[in-house]
Amino acid sequence: MILKELVKNVLLEKPGGATVLKEYEDTGKICDSSRRQMVNILAAHMTEKEGYDSPKLIC
């Protein structure tokens, strides 16, 4: 799975993620508050899946 699909799937399954995706689809960009919300959603997902002290890095 490519990273774009992974991010989209995570956003679709988390509360607030669909709103971020809708804003991006409608306008082609996202505002600062939505960007912060997206980062928080993705960081929480990574922490949930990999743990807080995971040595793995996504590049």
Side-chain angles (χ1 to χ4, degrees), residues 20-53:
V20 174
L21 286 173
K22 174 111 173 77
E23 180 180 339
Y24 182 73
E25 289 172 1
D26 291 347
T27 65
K29 56 185 175 182
I30 56 176
C31 65
D32 288 342
S33 61
S34 294
R35 184 174 291 112
R36 273 188 236 103
Q37 184 178 12
M38 179 182 70
V39 169
N40 287 338
I41 291 169
L42 295 173
H45 175 76
M46 288 171 50
T47 302
E48 180 182 301
K49 294 295 181 188
E50 302 296 334
Y52 185 73
D53 293 330

